[in-house]
């Protein structure tokens, strides 16, 4: 593969000199392509499908609700740069778009199952629409830096979900495989938005670029944490969990065990370090680990590829009874 840090150093050196980026800082032998998996026929077995845990279920459900519209927005932004970047990065953007399109499709089905479990997700969807519409009014370069920040948040969470088996311990099997598949592709394309940002700002000074992306990361992170937390508590209230019980229960989940917020804090801070690039940490082993976990879901039978089922023919999940 070569030294990932050397890729980053070369890219930053080129930027300092005001030169165009040749290729990207993503490892040269990384092939970003959609695996086009289908998990939509897998019904949720339980209302609290993450090991019977209402807090974990609310966390992942609230996160899933952001994906169809959020990833559609990311695709729209990066597509606008595809024709103006070096060929290697253009190929990576195409792979990114293909992956995100499939993620959006599968989470649309997943979100329908949330609704069929008698959750009202309309308020969460409207809050997301308001945020995306607001970002969409900004100049394109600001939409790109927002996308870059959100992709970093997604990538560090994805790495955590794969690396820490506690997140999906005792979760519904097919749903666990779907989330691991999604997480693996988020890790795989984690450098694409950032490389596009580097290219789009190649004529900027390093200080201007760092200040801009740092300010946006703080804004985006605060908004992300605020809106996801509001969504989680909305879903918990629908399960009859509110007040101190909801706050203490979710705080324990988020910060103690399995602690997705606490365990991603250091990777979040790394975004602000001089010379940061997502691929400074080569965690491609997580992609292989996730693939080994969901391998059974991508084969109908031994030695034969999965049959692609038309959307209209897929089994609709039944409604699930409320637990509380």
């Amino acid at each position: 593969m070569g030294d990932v840090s050397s890729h980053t150093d070369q890219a930053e050196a080129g930027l300092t000199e005001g030169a165009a980026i040749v290729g990207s800082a993503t490892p040269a032998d990384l092939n970003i392509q959609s695996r086009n998996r289908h998990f939509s026929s897998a019904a949720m077995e339980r209302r609290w499908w993450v090991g019977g845990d209402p807090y974990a279920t609310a966390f992942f459900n609230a996160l899933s609700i952001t994906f169809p519209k959020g990833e559609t927005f990311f695709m729209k932004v990066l597509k606008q740069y595809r024709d103006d970047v070096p060929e290697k990065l253009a190929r990576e953007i195409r792979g990114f778009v293909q992956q995100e399109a499939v993620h959006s499709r599968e989470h649309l089905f997943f979100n329908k199952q949330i609704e069929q479990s008698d959750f009202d997700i309309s308020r969460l969807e409207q809050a997301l629409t308001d945020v995306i519409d607001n970002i969409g009014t900004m100049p394109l370069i600001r939409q790109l830096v927002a996308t870059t920040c959100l992709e970093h948040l997604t990538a560090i969470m994805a790495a955590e979900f794969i690396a820490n088996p506690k997140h999906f311990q005792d979760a519904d099997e097919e749903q666990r495989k779907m989330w691991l598949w999604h997480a693996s592709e988020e890790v795989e394309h984690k450098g694409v938005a950032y490389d596009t940002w580097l290219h789009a700002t190649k004529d900027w000074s390093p200080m201007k670029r760092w200040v801009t992306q740092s300010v946006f990361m703080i804004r985006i992170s605060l908004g992300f944490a605020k809106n996801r937390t509001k969504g989680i508590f909305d879903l918990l209230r629908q399960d009859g969990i509110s007040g101190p019980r909801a706050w203490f229960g979710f705080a324990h989940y988020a910060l103690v065990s399995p602690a997705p917020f606490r365990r991603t804090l250091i990777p979040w801070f790394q975004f602000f370090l001089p010379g940061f690039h997502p691929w400074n940490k080569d965690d491609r082993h997580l992609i292989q680990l996730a693939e080994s976990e969901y391998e059974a879901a991508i084969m109908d039978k031994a030695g034969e590829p999965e049959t692609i089922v038309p959307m209209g023919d897929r089994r609709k999940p039944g409604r699930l009874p409320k637990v509380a």
Side-chain angles (χ1 to χ4, degrees):
M1 182 200 82
D3 184 356
V4 175
S5 296
S6 67
H7 286 281
T8 305
D9 293 342
Q10 292 168 10
E12 289 293 338
L15 291 172
T16 302
E17 297 167 2
I21 296 177
V22 178
S24 75
T26 298
D29 60 342
L30 182 65
N31 184 21
I32 300 171
Q33 59 180 346
S34 173
R35 292 155 181 82
N36 196 24
R37 303 308 182 210
H38 294 278
F39 296 94
S40 52
S41 62
M44 289 179 183
E45 299 171 14
R46 299 167 288 179
R47 179 178 174 86
W48 295 345
W49 61 271
V50 190
D53 184 340
Y55 303 102
T57 300
F59 172 77
F60 282 104
N61 284 355
L63 193 58
S64 178
I65 291 165
T66 70
F67 288 137
K69 291 182 180 179
E71 294 185 325
T72 298
F73 174 77
F74 301 160
M75 290 187 284
K76 177 182 176 183
V77 171
L78 289 197
K79 280 180 179 179
Q80 296 182 71
Y81 288 94
R82 190 169 53 192
D83 295 335
D84 299 320
V85 299
E87 177 55 32
K88 179 179 182 294
L89 183 52
R91 289 196 305 270
E92 291 165 357
I93 291 175
R94 285 192 290 270
F96 172 95
V97 169
Q98 290 168 355
Q99 288 184 338
E100 296 288 54
V102 178
H103 299 168
S104 180
R105 180 194 72 196
E106 293 306 299
H107 279 277
L108 279 171
F109 283 101
F110 185 89
N111 294 348
K112 288 184 183 298
Q113 294 190 73
I114 297 175
E115 291 183 296
Q116 289 165 351
S117 300
D118 289 326
F119 285 109
D120 179 2
I121 65 174
S122 62
R123 290 179 294 275
L124 281 73
E125 290 183 320
Q126 185 58 54
L128 177 67
T129 298
D130 292 343
V131 170
I132 291 177
D133 287 349
N134 180 56
I135 297 175
T137 63
M138 298 178 181
L140 182 58
I141 194 66
R142 290 177 175 263
Q143 295 181 42
L144 176 59
V145 69
T147 297
T148 300
C149 294
L150 286 164
E151 275 292 302
H152 181 63
L153 296 180
T154 304
I156 62 177
M157 287 191 293
E160 167 62 20
F161 297 157
I162 300 171
N164 185 358
K166 287 185 178 180
H167 288 292
F168 296 111
Q169 188 173 9
D170 300 323
D172 290 0
E173 185 68 9
E174 294 305 307
Q175 307 305 340
R176 180 181 66 85
K177 292 172 181 175
M178 189 273 286
W179 279 89
L180 288 174
W181 154 77
H182 184 174
S184 71
E185 294 196 341
E186 291 297 333
V187 171
E188 188 171 71
H189 70 229
K190 67 177 182 175
V192 178
Y194 195 82
D195 284 334
T196 305
W197 163 247
L198 288 179
H199 183 81
T201 59
K202 62 182 180 294
D203 295 326
W204 290 21
S205 70
M207 178 58 71
K208 178 181 178 181
R209 184 185 309 108
W210 181 83
V211 169
T212 302
Q213 69 188 47
S214 296
V215 169
F216 261 83
M217 177 57 83
I218 293 171
R219 290 175 57 188
I220 289 291
S221 298
L222 289 174
F224 184 89
K226 172 187 172 183
N227 290 320
R228 297 299 76 71
T229 300
K230 287 176 63 176
I232 288 164
F233 281 99
D234 187 322
L235 296 174
L236 287 172
R237 280 194 299 273
Q238 296 181 51
D239 273 327
I241 302 173
S242 60
R245 180 188 174 195
W247 282 103
F248 283 110
F250 182 66
H252 184 274
Y253 170 79
L255 301 174
V256 180
S257 180
F261 288 1
R262 173 174 59 82
R263 289 171 60 90
T264 53
L265 194 57
I266 291 177
W268 180 82
F269 272 117
Q270 289 172 344
F271 186 87
F272 301 93
L273 295 176
F276 166 81
H277 188 277
W279 280 108
N280 284 351
K281 180 177 182 180
D282 189 348
D283 50 6
R284 284 180 288 176
H285 67 282
L286 294 177
I287 301 171
Q288 298 171 349
L289 176 61
E291 287 181 333
S292 70
E293 292 288 337
Y294 67 71
E295 184 178 13
I298 63 177
M299 300 290 285
D300 280 338
K301 44 189 156 180
E304 293 187 15
E306 178 189 32
T307 301
I308 297 178
V309 182
M311 285 188 176
D313 295 339
R314 296 180 188 167
R315 177 168 57 91
K316 295 182 179 180
R319 300 174 70 87
L320 302 181
K322 288 187 176 180
V323 178

